[in-house]
């Protein structure tokens, strides 16, 4: 069943990102939604069932809005092509639908709850791969979208992602609000330089994958267990701190590159005030990432627990963790090459 769900996820994503017709894109999103539901609810815990129900209702609403948007555009213009979105009402409806799918403010309420009810491996899928098809649709329709609406939602996402993450003790919820804040950074630059949105998404996916793989290896779900996780694999926990700081966007780590490029592009577009606001708001995120890094590497718990050092048995997980962690820390010198990716 897990194999069928995974193949369906890949199929749905491939259909959406490669389609020109709105109905094909919608069908790919529906396949994705139906494929991820068994993975969310497989633990048979009440929280998991609640999470899968919320996810289904929210995604069904977003898909309906997306279909309605494309039908409205086809009704007025006779075009079913994704890049030919011209009617203002259709553009607004599409922005709403994709924002609900991604979890942008003010449609973010479902995302932390769904992540909290899922396993770490499912959280990884929800925070990365499941956001790729909607981001692609944003990329394809970017010339038609409303800049003011997108900018407002982006600033609100960065602000709320920072504020709400401050008082969380559950690691999955912290990473959910981190995802909302990063989506704000991707959205704010979408109109002016869509390629930069894709670069930011790729680098965010890479760094978040490294964090989720590390959490999975150490089996960490909340801050109190993170304090004792360093005794299991000390070297991995030390590098985990650098990965968290990379997600923050501190130089000389990889995460600094997208934020630096976005700030430069906004300044070129004479939106210096907008760049200043989101840069200051990202300091909120810096606080809770530093708190995570502090708990992971610097804090000694009051009751020291003796753990046996773990033998590394799952070779694939180890390889993925090592690869993604290395990339999420050391890619900044390769930034000229990264800029040629899209």
């Amino acid at each position: 069943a897990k194999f069928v769900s995974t193949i369906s996820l890949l199929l749905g994503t491939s259909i959406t990102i490669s389609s020109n017709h709105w109905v094909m894109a919608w069908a790919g999103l529906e396949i994705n939604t139906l494929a991820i539901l068994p993975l969310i609810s497989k633990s048979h815990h009440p929280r998991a069932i609640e999470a899968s129900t919320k996810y289904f209702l929210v995604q069904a609403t977003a898909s309906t809005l997306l279909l309605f948007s494309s039908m409205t555009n086809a009704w007025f213009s006779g075009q079913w092509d994704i890049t030919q979105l011209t009617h203002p009402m259709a553009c607004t409806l599409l922005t709403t639908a994709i924002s609900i799918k991604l979890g942008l403010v003010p449609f973010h309420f479902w995302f932390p709850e769904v992540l909290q009810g899922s396993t770490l491996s499912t959280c990884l899928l929800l925070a990365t791969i499941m956001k790729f098809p909607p981001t692609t649709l944003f990329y394809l329709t970017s010339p038609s979208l409303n800049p003011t609406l997108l900018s407002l939602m982006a600033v609100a996402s960065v602000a709320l992602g920072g504020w709400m993450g401050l008082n969380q003790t559950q690691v999955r919820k912290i990473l959910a609000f981190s995802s909302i804040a990063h989506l704000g950074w991707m959205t704010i630059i979408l109109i002016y330089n869509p390629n930069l949105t894709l670069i930011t998404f790729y680098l965010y996916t890479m760094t978040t994958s490294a964090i989720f793989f590390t959490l999975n290896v150490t089996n960490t779900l909340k801050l109190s267990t993170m304090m004792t996780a360093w005794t299991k694999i000390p070297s991995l926990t030390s590098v985990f701190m650098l990965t968290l700081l990379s997600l923050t966007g501190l130089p000389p780590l990889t995460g600094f590159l997208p934020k630096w490029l976005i700030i430069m592009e906004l300044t070129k577009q004479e939106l210096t005030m907008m760049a200043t606001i989101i840069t200051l708001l990202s300091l909120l995120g810096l606080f809770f990432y530093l708190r995570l890094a502090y708990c992971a590497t610097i804090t000694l718990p009051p009751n020291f627990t003796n753990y046996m050092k773990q033998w590394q048995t799952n070779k694939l997980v180890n390889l993925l963790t090592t690869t993604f962690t290395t990339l999420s820390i050391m890619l900044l010198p390769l930034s000229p090459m990264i800029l040629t990716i899209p």
Side-chain angles (χ1 to χ4, degrees):
K2 193 185 287 188
F3 176 74
V4 172
S5 294
T6 310
I7 294 297
S8 301
L9 271 179
L10 293 173
L11 176 68
T13 304
S14 305
I15 289 173
T16 302
I17 65 177
S18 60
S19 59
N20 290 320
H21 198 284
W22 274 115
V23 174
M24 284 298 288
W26 170 81
L29 291 171
E30 286 299 297
I31 291 170
N32 259 7
T33 302
L34 294 174
I36 197 77
L37 286 172
L39 297 178
I40 299 174
S41 59
K42 70 178 177 184
S43 60
H44 300 296
H45 190 272
R47 287 299 293 267
I49 305 301
E50 180 190 342
S52 57
T53 309
K54 285 178 179 174
Y55 186 78
F56 173 73
L57 293 173
V58 168
Q59 296 298 315
T61 308
S63 294
T64 309
L65 273 177
L66 186 133
L67 202 56
F68 183 50
S69 157
S70 56
M71 286 173 67
T72 307
N73 189 63
W75 182 269
F76 283 101
S77 67
Q79 287 285 346
W80 281 99
D81 195 299
I82 291 178
T83 54
Q84 302 296 320
L85 194 71
T86 51
H87 196 267
M89 182 182 164
C91 293
T92 309
L93 281 171
L94 178 83
T95 307
T96 308
I98 302 294
S99 303
I100 293 173
K101 279 205 167 286
L102 287 172
L104 276 170
V105 174
F107 310 108
H108 64 284
F109 297 103
W110 63 273
F111 190 56
E113 297 299 324
V114 171
L115 249 63
Q116 183 58 30
S118 311
T119 60
L120 284 170
S121 51
T122 312
C123 287
L124 171 60
L125 292 174
L126 286 167
T128 55
I129 294 173
M130 296 301 291
K131 292 193 183 296
F132 189 42
T135 307
T136 311
L137 290 178
F138 253 170
Y139 176 83
L140 291 171
T141 56
S142 57
S144 314
L145 302 178
N146 185 344
T148 311
L149 180 61
L150 281 180
S151 299
L152 284 172
M153 289 169 74
V155 171
S157 296
V158 176
L160 196 127
W163 278 114
M164 297 290 284
L166 290 178
N167 62 346
Q168 300 296 332
T169 56
Q170 298 287 333
V171 176
R172 285 171 292 185
K173 277 198 173 179
I174 291 175
L175 288 171
F177 288 114
S178 151
S179 178
I180 292 168
H182 277 86
L183 282 169
W185 279 88
M186 292 174 213
T187 309
I188 203 163
I189 204 66
L190 182 69
I191 301 287
Y192 310 106
N193 191 343
N195 289 343
L196 205 46
T197 298
L198 281 189
I199 290 176
T200 310
F201 180 78
Y202 296 150
L203 294 178
Y204 160 76
T205 300
M206 191 172 60
T207 313
T208 305
S209 301
I211 286 174
F212 273 115
F213 282 132
T214 306
L215 293 173
N216 211 5
V217 169
T218 56
N219 197 22
T220 305
L221 294 176
K222 51 189 182 207
L223 291 181
S224 55
T225 53
M226 188 176 273
M227 292 179 188
T228 56
W230 67 271
T231 53
K232 296 180 183 178
I233 313 169
S235 55
L236 181 63
T237 316
S238 305
V239 179
F240 180 56
M241 178 180 73
L242 290 176
T243 315
L244 284 167
L245 295 180
S246 177
L247 197 60
T248 313
L250 290 182
L253 304 166
T254 307
F256 174 62
L257 174 62
K259 294 192 175 177
W260 173 40
L261 293 173
I262 287 170
I263 291 166
M264 280 206 312
E265 185 65 34
L266 287 174
T267 312
K268 281 182 199 169
Q269 300 289 342
E270 298 183 356
L271 294 167
T272 315
M273 181 58 73
M274 194 78 75
T276 309
I277 289 170
I278 63 162
T279 308
L280 290 174
L281 288 173
S282 68
L283 292 175
L284 294 167
L286 173 64
F287 176 81
F288 64 73
Y289 289 125
L290 281 175
R291 189 174 64 158
L292 276 173
Y294 182 79
C295 287
T297 52
I298 303 169
T299 309
L300 278 176
N303 300 317
F304 188 80
T305 313
N306 287 318
Y307 279 105
M308 291 289 288
K309 294 288 185 293
Q310 286 186 337
W311 283 101
Q312 301 301 299
T313 51
N314 193 333
K315 296 284 171 53
L316 178 62
V317 172
N318 293 341
L319 180 64
L320 288 171
T321 309
T322 312
T323 307
F324 280 114
T325 303
T326 308
L327 290 173
S328 61
I329 292 171
M330 300 183 175
L331 273 188
L332 191 62
L334 297 178
S335 47
M337 189 181 78
I338 294 170
L339 290 178
T340 63
I341 289 174

